[in-house]
């Protein structure tokens, strides 16, 4: 889960955020971008191609922190625009009910999710995107996978922190995990 | 829940359907058409204005039977197109998980839902529609209501068979029942 | 999905049921029996060991038809008692919202689920059972598997009609698919 | 949402928590305790009777913060035991998927939920309790209401911060809002 630049009123300076981490669970959202056919069935899943601080290549979901006084659906919009560009036309779900909640723990194996920096609790949503996706910031590319490809060992191995598990949960939720 | 004209292969003649009713629960879908803002929040709910066989005016959700060898998402598409016209552009949900299941019983008060003709079990979905809605067939009009109007006594009294309750459940699910 | 003996008022004679199959989707429920720890986390999944009409050994979920004028939760209770015995103490979910809907088609590959006899639409629920399970009728045994075992190739291969997929969806829903 | 005493390792001193509030959304859980019949249908909802700092009597759900390195299901157990006593025998849901997410904002009318002290984001769950409930700490009593009573104007008026809305959402989710 990539760190954001925070400059506006009410946001945290990096050193403040650092101090809070380790003391409180931090609220995140995870979004699984999908392409759907005219009947709403998921045909493809979009994954960001990232290069980590150690140079390792990985694939990731759209993910980020919820800010003070920010609604969850606004956080989803902000992170989707940040990662997919301004003309992706994401369709944020009508219901605040996430398809699951991913609890990223700083220690391994408490849950399937892991984030060495912090205890992050992430509300996970599936988001159809209809427009053009132009990754920005630290993502190199966005690549679309069929459900079968997304669940394959090859793609799963390129995902970190348990996001591969979260992706399989998303596929199961839309009836496309086989 | 309005009856459909059935002529194609595999569909039932009216007398066959009649014979099955009273022997089996019949599978239905209910769709709640909604307008959403750019963040996905529901701003309006669409209700059909119908005139029943007894001349009574009522408001109704989009509703109808699932046919043999028809997927639920295809049944949703078919009933939405039948009731809202061909350019409503409904966005069928990505997940087959309904927000609730409405069990319409032929006897009153077993559940909040009632259908004197049959035991119908209906999978209920909330469906954003982005295009123009032009009701067809037996619906006179489609009218859009704010969530507060939709939950009001006036609108609730114009809904029959427990669809008012189902509408309130939909509003609750999207966080717009107050 | 095993056939039930039907004798009471309102139930269907075998020949009547046969006539309706092929004309209508038939409403089913699928239940995934689970053991949970004191915090509600799933520790084991229960699968029935069955011998099919062709002598093939298979593992199956608790599954069966919803009858005319029967509530879904009563159908769940009836099938769980039939398959797990009278002292299994199943905890039927408080919400009618299934974790998914499995559409078993008589033709292959329309969905991941398949039933050569009929088009069955099944509401799927996860049901904690706290008591002793004593399989009856055509089930030879009930065996408990860890989530990892249940998702393994070995168990998946012993499940038919797409129930292995449904089982993985259940594991994903409870956060135990890895 | 009542404040907890926090003394153990990793918890926050009151002044630390105060400093973080106003900078970050704080993660909460809300639990709606229910009594169910043998088929899992909700028959009663439990509400805590509280006296606020200003002496006002109010009714409340079980609610509280999620701590650093605490799983959501452990937070639910802790708050339920704190508010209902050690022999309430709560059945924590098997799935981490909440029935809704309540976003309590420090300013009014951003959402239906309001908490003047903070921006709290609460994952809401319905929890059947089978044992004896003996409220502790600042709750005077736990009283059981039928679904109709719980949705009535009288009970709704005794709930604050939008918890009355959350309660109606819970009733809608279990099919008991009429």
């Amino acid at each position: 889960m990539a760190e954001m630049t925070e400059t506006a009123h009410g946001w945290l300076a990096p050193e403040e955020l650092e101090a809070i981490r380790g003391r409180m669970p931090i609220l995140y959202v995870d979004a699984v971008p999908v392409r759907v056919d005219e009947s709403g069935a998921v045909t493809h899943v979009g994954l960001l191609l990232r290069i980590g601080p150690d140079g390792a290549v990985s694939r990731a979901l759209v993910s980020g922190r919820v800010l003070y006084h920010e609604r969850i659906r606004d956080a989803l919009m902000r992170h989707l625009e940040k990662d997919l560009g301004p003309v992706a036309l994401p369709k944020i779900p009508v219901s605040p009910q996430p398809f699951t909640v991913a609890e990223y723990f700083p220690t391994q194996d408490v849950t399937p999710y892991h984030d060495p920096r912090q205890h992050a609790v992430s509300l996970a949503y599936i988001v159809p995107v209809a427009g053009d996706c132009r990754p920005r910031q630290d993502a190199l590319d966005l690549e679309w996978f069929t459900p079968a490809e997304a669940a394959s060992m090859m793609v799963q191995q390129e995902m970190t922190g348990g996001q591969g598990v979260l992706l399989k949960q998303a596929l199961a939720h839309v009836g496309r995990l086989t």
Side-chain angles (χ1 to χ4, degrees), chain A:
Chain A
M1 294 184 289
E3 202 48 60
M4 75 194 67
T5 308
E6 297 171 332
T7 55
H9 167 71
W11 297 17
L12 292 169
E15 65 272 18
E16 290 179 293
L17 181 57
E18 214 49 54
I20 292 172
R21 284 176 172 156
R23 313 307 300 274
M24 298 266 290
I26 312 292
L27 185 65
Y28 270 70
V29 286
D30 273 309
V32 183
V34 297
R35 295 284 197 205
V36 299
D37 67 18
E38 69 287 347
S39 74
V42 170
T43 59
H44 294 86
V45 172
L47 295 175
L48 298 166
L49 183 64
R50 292 194 186 280
I51 297 195
D54 59 348
V57 171
S58 63
R59 301 198 186 272
L61 303 175
V62 172
S63 182
R65 202 155 65 75
V66 180
L67 301 180
Y68 178 72
H69 215 280
E70 184 181 42
R71 292 185 310 165
I72 288 161
R73 50 179 73 254
D74 294 323
L76 280 168
M77 281 297 286
R78 179 170 58 81
H79 288 292
L80 285 160
E81 182 164 334
K82 168 176 64 78
D83 280 348
L84 304 186
V87 293
L89 303 177
K91 304 294 180 200
I92 307 295
V94 292
S95 171
Q97 184 183 40
F99 74 89
T100 198
V101 178
E103 305 179 70
Y104 295 87
F105 272 70
T107 45
Q108 299 263 19
D109 297 330
V110 181
T111 70
Y113 319 103
H114 177 238
D115 186 341
R117 300 170 305 162
Q118 63 191 350
H119 173 198
V121 174
S122 186
L123 311 183
Y125 299 91
I126 294 156
V127 182
V129 297
D132 277 346
C133 294
R134 300 169 189 165
R136 304 193 300 181
Q137 295 208 0
D138 55 345
L140 298 179
D141 199 8
L142 179 85
E143 199 172 344
W144 295 101
F145 297 91
T146 65
E149 290 167 352
S152 72
M153 190 64 83
M154 205 188 69
V155 170
Q156 288 285 313
Q157 283 175 339
E158 292 175 341
M159 303 190 74
T160 60
Q163 285 203 342
V165 170
L166 189 54
L167 176 56
K168 286 197 285 186
Q169 289 175 282
L171 292 171
H173 185 67
V174 299
R176 298 304 308 270
L177 184 76
T178 51

